[in-house]
């Protein structure tokens, strides 16, 4: 696969991931009480699709880093591994929620009822996403794949995710900002990551049409 095709694939995967997450997040706020099963299952299905696209993205991103500078292949591998772990634990969380909703004989709010997902969506997810973002930012900064704002924003977002790792000590009320399953820990951080991924995906896709040497400043403006 040549670099142009690789960048387009990576960019499209990033855009598809972001689009699915952006559609999913608002579905959590439509109902004030326990949402109907259709709402929960729809948002989980959209989230599962987003994670499938994310797997494609992290795999393709590793190849981009490796192609740009083989000396930093290990950074791309960390991004791949942490991205896969993040996708896996989120898929497990989605499965637990979907199973509980399907089995229940009345509407339930799985963000409260399914206690096994609190730390998976919260502290564990935030830590794995911080590792992923740090690897992506470092890989971009060392190989000069993309403009400087991409690696700098990745580092900032990684730091913000780390701030939410201790949220597991602050209860399980979704209406609270900093709870283990609070709207700040889960929904807000998910939304911010979605729009960052959208911007990154567009940037990578557009870079395929104006390729420059890896050490050229043309891609760093």
């Amino acid at each position: 696969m040549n670099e142009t095709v690789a960048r387009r694939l990576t960019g499209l995967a990033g855009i598809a991931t972001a689009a699915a997450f952006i559609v999913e997040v608002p579905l959590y706020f439509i109902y004030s009480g326990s949402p109907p099963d259709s709402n929960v299952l729809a948002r989980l299905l959209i989230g599962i699709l987003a994670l499938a696209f994310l797997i494609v993205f992290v795999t393709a991103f590793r190849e981009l880093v490796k192609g740009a500078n083989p000396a930093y292949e290990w950074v791309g591998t960390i991004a791949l591994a942490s991205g896969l772990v993040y996708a896996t634990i989120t898929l497990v969380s989605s499965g637990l929620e979907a199973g509980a909703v399907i089995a229940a004989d009345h509407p339930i709010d799985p963000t409260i009822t399914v206690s096994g997902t609190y730390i998976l969506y919260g502290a564990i997810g935030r830590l794995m996403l911080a590792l992923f973002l740090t690897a992506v930012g470092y890989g971009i900064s060392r190989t000069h794949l993309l403009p400087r704002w991409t690696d700098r924003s990745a580092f900032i977002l990684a730091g913000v995710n780390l701030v939410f790792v201790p949220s597991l000590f602050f209860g399980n009320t979704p209406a609270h900002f900093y709870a283990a399953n609070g709207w700040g820990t889960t929904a807000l951080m998910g939304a911010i990551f979605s729009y960052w991924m959208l911007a990154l995906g567009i940037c990578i896709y557009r870079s395929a049409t104006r390729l420059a040497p890896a050490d050229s400043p043309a891609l760093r403006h």
Side-chain angles (χ1 to χ4, degrees):
M1 184 184 298
N2 63 47
E3 186 177 359
T4 299
V5 174
R7 285 179 181 257
R8 286 176 178 168
L9 175 61
T10 309
L12 286 174
I15 293 169
T17 300
F21 278 141
I22 289 169
V23 172
E24 177 196 16
V25 171
L27 296 178
Y28 282 84
F29 299 96
I30 294 177
Y31 300 94
S32 58
S34 296
D37 291 359
S38 59
N39 171 268
V40 177
L41 296 177
R43 72 197 190 197
L44 290 176
L45 177 59
I46 295 170
I48 290 169
L49 291 174
L51 293 167
F53 290 128
L54 180 62
I55 291 172
V56 176
F57 175 85
V58 298
T59 304
F61 179 80
R62 176 186 178 275
E63 295 304 309
L64 279 183
V65 172
K66 178 182 177 181
N69 190 335
Y72 291 98
E73 180 182 358
W74 64 273
V75 180
T77 301
I78 292 176
L80 171 63
S82 55
L84 290 178
V85 172
Y86 174 76
T88 300
I89 62 175
T90 309
L91 286 169
V92 170
S93 300
S94 298
L96 291 173
E97 287 196 2
V101 168
I102 293 171
D105 58 1
H106 60 279
I108 63 172
D109 184 352
T111 62
I112 301 175
T113 306
V114 187
S115 57
T117 66
Y118 295 168
I119 307 303
L120 293 176
Y121 276 134
I124 296 175
R126 299 284 68 80
L127 182 60
M128 289 300 100
L129 198 55
L131 179 58
F132 167 72
L133 289 163
T134 300
V136 169
Y138 188 73
I140 293 173
S141 68
R142 304 310 296 178
T143 59
H144 309 296
L145 279 171
L146 297 167
R148 287 191 176 90
W149 70 262
T150 55
D151 56 73
R152 291 174 178 174
S153 61
F155 290 137
I156 293 171
L157 190 53
V160 175
N161 272 271
L162 286 176
V163 169
F164 283 89
V165 172
S167 62
L168 75 167
F169 292 103
F170 293 88
N172 65 330
T173 303
H176 294 172
F177 177 78
Y178 199 75
N181 57 341
W183 65 269
T185 308
T186 57
L188 178 62
M189 293 309 302
I192 294 174
F193 175 69
S194 301
Y195 285 103
W196 178 84
M197 179 63 75
L198 178 62
L200 183 68
I202 292 172
C203 184
I204 295 174
Y205 185 83
R206 292 182 61 188
S207 72
T209 64
R210 49 185 176 82
L211 286 176
D215 59 349
S216 169
L219 293 178
R220 305 292 288 174
H221 294 312

